Structures are given as structure tokens and as C-alpha cells.
Amino acid sequence: MAEKFIINGGKKLKGEIKVSGAKNAALKIFPAALLSSGTIRVSNVPDIEDCQRAQEILEALGYEVKKINSPVGGADGGDVFDLKPGGKVCVDLPANLVNKFRASMMFVGPLLATCGKVNFPHPGGCVIGAGTRPIDIFLDGFQKMGAKLKISENHYHLEAKKLKGAEIFFPKITVTGTESLMMTATIAEGETILKNCAMEPEIVELAKFLNKIGAKIEGAGTPIIKINGVKKLGDGEYKIMPDRLETGSFAIMAAAVKGSDVLIKNCEPKHLEALWSLFDKIGVNYKLGKNNIRIMPSKNLKATDMMTHEYPGFATDLQPPYVILMTQAKGTSLIYETIYDRRLLYTDLLVQMGANIIMADPHRVIIHGPSKLSGKKLVSPDIRAGIALIIAALAAQGKTEIDNIYQIDRGYEKIDERLKNLGADINRI
């Protein structure tokens, strides 16, 4: 029987909560290990479903993934792993794992670059990711670098004797596309120039690490990245950065649950400037430290419009928690989701809880607040809507039951245990 959360809402949150290592940084280091001829030690790895799937894929490809006890990661609470080559590397990505999450696509480029070929099915994921987000950007990039593509019954086969540097323009800004082609180009022949790149902090961290083990990458964090290919990459250590999306979710949660006073530790406040700018307008009482944020009780929250945008704009992954905050703010706000077509569908669940939300079109909702939310039986549609439902349940009166929490566990480590430490009445059954 599937697990679910039972939450009794309306209780103030108080205390400290630590931010885990970034899911979106951790998921890229496992495929990056394929480019190295030595051992990669990675620390502060979050204990979440998606990271476990990434480890399983790396092992299925013939790599050794060894969990070790080390003070390096232990201080932050994250896991430490050694990733090292085993025998012969397999070029077939396992369908049973690829179907579970979209980040499996990140293994394709490094395998193609190191082995000269790769076979894989269409990657899966949650409602937002499964089958609806095309992989053309990746395939076009690999072909520009000299790979030959064959497609048969939703299965892909790429082959290239030697990848060559190329000039690649992304028709739309893509984080995983930028990271995938940046990694692939590190051991391609000659210079690769990527244009209209995503600028997320996770991309900068990945580039820093690859440079540390021998890559030649310039411009990460800007729209143009130049990579000069090298023959091979060596071994090294990589500490996963704090998860900015978890940081933002916790900050919004503390602001949305009335009377809460929460100190968020082990984080990087400068990665969330778009959120603090909105907090100023809303009237959230907060204080930024060097690597912590304190959210204190606020008297009157003011409704404020928001539009999602690629980094450094407001992250689409923080849009669902922000919507919950706006249901508790006074006035009318317009939320404009510019990145994903289906990301606002979860708002129907909030209406069931008593929120006053009107869907203007697939990309925009109008929220009238504040609303008194009441507990209901709900099903989590995806990772980010899942954490938003938890926040809504904590802010609501009465009992909420959230099903399909596998989706939440994919992105948030032991979320129920951590929220209990803040005084939340949440149980996993």
C-alpha cells in the first residue's frame, strides 16, 4: 500500500531547519562521473528518491557507487559517495530506471562522449516531465557535434566515432540542455560555443567542478559558454551546494503559516534575490544572514503579482508554494507561469480546500485573499505541487490527507521528520 501524509494544520512553526544538498546539482554529478578516468568523491548528497535512481543508473552502467562515512559531508547531514569506474561501461540505459525520472537524460551525453554510442528510451518523470517535455534540444545538439541518430519505437540510438566541437544556439533557455551539452563538450575535439544558455547557480557549480578535474570551460553563469575539449578528465571532490528551491519553499512555508518563527540554516540566500524582492512588497518579516534566513511573524501580508522567469528571475519550481502564500495575503494577485504549460493544474486542489482562485488560462491564475483553508483528501501531482500541498495543509484548519507522496520524496529528504522538529503535526502512514 502506498504511503501518505496525514497533517493536522493550524499550528505555528517554530525552531530551526537545515537545508539539504541541491537535488538539481546532485543529479548532474552522477552522469558527470562518466567523464572522469578516476574516482569522484561527492559529499552533501540528499537522501531522496531521484538521487537513489541516479546511483542505480550509474551502477547499471558498470560504475561502482560506494557510500562512505566522512566528516566532510556529515557536518551538513548529507551522504558521501565515491563514484569510480568498474569494468566495461554499458551503453544501454536501463528502461526501468529511465522511465522513472527525466534527469536520466543527463547520462546520454557523457556516455556518447566516452563510449561513442548510447541507447535509451524516452525519459519519464512526473506529470510535468513525463512525455510532455521533448528532448529535441539534446538530440539536435548531439547531432551538431557529429552524432548519428536512429529512432525506433520510442527508443533512441546515438553513435559518433569522435564528437567534434560545434556552435550551438538553444532556441529556448534550458537548464538540463545547457548542462548536458556543456558536459558532453568537455572531451569533444576542439571548441564548443553554447549560446542562449541557462544561468542557474547549479550550472556554475558544475562548471567549477569540471574545471577542477581538468575541463576548460569559460562563461558558466552567462548566456554564452565556451568549452575547449580535452582528452580526459581526472579525479576530484565535489560538495553539493545547498538546495535553493528547498530554501525558498521553507521560507514561503514559514511566511504562510501564521505566527511562525523559523531559522533556515545551511543555505545560500544570494541565490534567491527574486524571492526576497517579493517578500519586501508582500510585507514578510525576514532577516538574511550569511548562510541562514530567519522568517518571523508578519502582521499583514499584501497580495503581490508574480511572473516566473529563468534565473535570476523567480523560479518556476517556487511558483506552487508562492500561490499558497498569496491565498493568505490580503488583496488580489495575478500569477503568471511562463515556463511550463501544465504547472497550474494543481490549483484545483487548493480550490477544494477553500482557496479563491480563478484560472484565467493555462498560464495564469487570479487569487483573491486571504482565504480560510480547510483540510481535505488530496493527491500530489508532482514534486513542487506536492510541497505546496504540505504548506497549504499546515496553514489550513483540520486534517489533510496527501496521497502519492512518492513524488514529494523524490525532491525533499525526510520532509515529515524535519517538519515535526518545527512543531508540525505531520505523520507518514
Side-chain angles (χ1 to χ4, degrees):
M1 195 173 171
E3 292 183 329
K4 55 186 167 187
F5 287 139
I6 305 291
I7 300 168
N8 289 297
K11 292 175 171 56
K12 295 174 188 176
L13 304 175
K14 192 170 175 59
E16 298 179 354
I17 189 164
K18 282 184 178 178
V19 172
S20 297
K23 171 179 99 80
N24 289 342
L27 292 181
K28 313 304 157 49
I29 198 65
F30 292 98
L34 293 168
L35 299 165
S36 165
S37 56
T39 299
I40 303 298
R41 174 162 292 184
V42 53
S43 61
N44 201 30
V45 180
D47 182 12
I48 54 174
E49 289 283 342
D50 272 13
C51 282
Q52 288 156 21
R53 300 293 83 80
Q55 291 161 36
E56 287 165 9
I57 288 182
L58 197 55
E59 287 173 326
L61 295 175
Y63 267 61
E64 188 184 324
V65 178
K66 188 179 176 189
K67 191 172 177 179
I68 58 171
N69 292 319
S70 158
V72 182
D76 293 340
D79 292 329
V80 183
F81 291 94
D82 277 351
L83 317 175
K84 59 182 175 182
K88 190 169 182 284
V89 178
C90 175
V91 295
D92 298 307
L93 282 168
N96 62 320
L97 294 173
V98 171
N99 289 337
K100 285 183 180 172
F101 78 129
R102 185 177 163 79
S104 56
M105 189 66 207
M106 301 305 292
F107 287 87
V108 173
L111 265 183
L112 179 63
T114 50
C115 300
K117 58 181 164 182
V118 57
N119 305 305
F120 62 101
H122 196 87
C126 59
V127 176
I128 302 290
T132 62
R133 283 149 74 182
I135 59 171
D136 302 8
I137 283 176
F138 297 86
L139 299 176
D140 290 349
F142 298 142
Q143 287 177 98
K144 278 182 181 147
M145 294 172 84
K148 298 260 191 306
L149 170 68
K150 286 182 191 166
I151 304 173
S152 57
E153 292 175 22
N154 212 25
H155 216 86
Y156 304 87
H157 174 79
L158 282 161
E159 195 162 338
K161 279 183 182 167
K162 180 66 184 169
L163 291 176
K164 291 191 172 11
E167 197 163 300
I168 298 165
F169 178 84
F170 295 113
K172 62 185 282 188
I173 294 171
T174 158
V175 176
T176 49
T178 299
E179 290 169 324
S180 174
L181 291 169
M182 181 175 80
M183 284 198 284
T184 308
T186 57
I187 56 171
E189 202 174 87
E191 184 183 64
T192 298
I193 299 174
L194 306 177
K195 295 180 176 178
N196 198 28
C197 297
M199 302 190 288
E200 271 66 4
E202 292 83 359
I203 295 169
V204 178
E205 288 292 307
L206 179 61
K208 271 189 204 165
F209 166 70
L210 292 170
N211 283 341
K212 209 161 73 174
I213 62 170
K216 291 181 178 173
I217 302 168
E218 290 174 21
T222 77
I224 298 176
I225 300 177
K226 291 181 183 176
I227 307 110
N228 278 297
V230 296
K231 283 202 162 62
K232 64 176 187 175
L233 301 180
D235 51 12
E237 292 189 10
Y238 181 67
K239 184 178 176 185
I240 308 265
M241 63 185 272
D243 197 316
R244 64 193 168 90
L245 301 171
E246 190 173 90
T247 305
S249 298
F250 291 160
I252 293 169
M253 176 181 68
V257 180
K258 279 183 190 135
S260 297
D261 191 336
V262 176
L263 181 67
I264 302 160
K265 298 174 78 174
N266 287 33
C267 60
E268 190 56 82
K270 69 171 188 252
H271 289 160
L272 289 155
E273 287 176 341
L275 178 59
W276 314 137
S277 168
L278 282 170
F279 270 15
D280 292 339
K281 292 177 184 172
I282 297 162
V284 175
N285 187 8
Y286 72 100
K287 187 180 178 186
L288 302 182
K290 190 184 173 190
N291 56 5
N292 60 66
I293 301 135
R294 186 177 171 200
I295 310 290
M296 294 159 283
S298 312
K299 284 195 175 139
N300 297 304
L301 299 179
K302 184 182 165 193
T304 305
D305 296 348
M306 184 275 286
M307 179 170 75
T308 62
H309 199 276
E310 292 86 0
Y311 191 85
F314 193 94
T316 176
D317 287 345
L318 289 178
Q319 174 260 103
Y322 186 84
V323 164
I324 310 300
L325 182 59
M326 287 301 97
T327 68
Q328 302 307 296
K330 190 177 182 183
T332 301
S333 55
L334 173 73
I335 310 301
Y336 187 7
E337 172 54 64
T338 67
I339 314 285
Y340 294 130
D341 285 342
R342 300 165 67 174
R343 187 145 244 177
L344 285 164
L345 295 182
Y346 71 92
T347 53
D348 281 352
L349 301 172
L350 303 180
V351 171
Q352 290 174 36
M353 295 179 80
N356 186 345
I357 301 175
I358 299 160
M359 187 167 272
D361 58 43
H363 286 272
R364 292 179 301 169
V365 291
I366 297 157
I367 305 168
H368 301 287
S371 298
K372 281 188 178 173
L373 302 179
S374 304
K376 284 282 180 288
K377 282 191 174 185
L378 307 168
V379 178
S380 167
D382 63 75
I383 298 178
R384 307 306 174 183
I387 196 72
L389 294 182
I390 288 179
I391 297 169
L394 293 170
Q397 293 300 316
K399 184 171 92 170
T400 299
E401 201 173 288
I402 302 176
D403 228 315
N404 191 30
I405 62 171
Y406 170 79
Q407 289 292 358
I408 302 170
D409 287 335
R410 282 182 54 209
Y412 298 88
E413 180 178 351
K414 299 183 178 75
I415 191 67
D416 48 328
E417 293 173 27
R418 293 155 80 196
L419 294 181
K420 269 184 186 173
N421 289 336
L422 294 176
D425 185 346
I426 176 170
N427 289 292
R428 181 187 292 261
I429 62 166

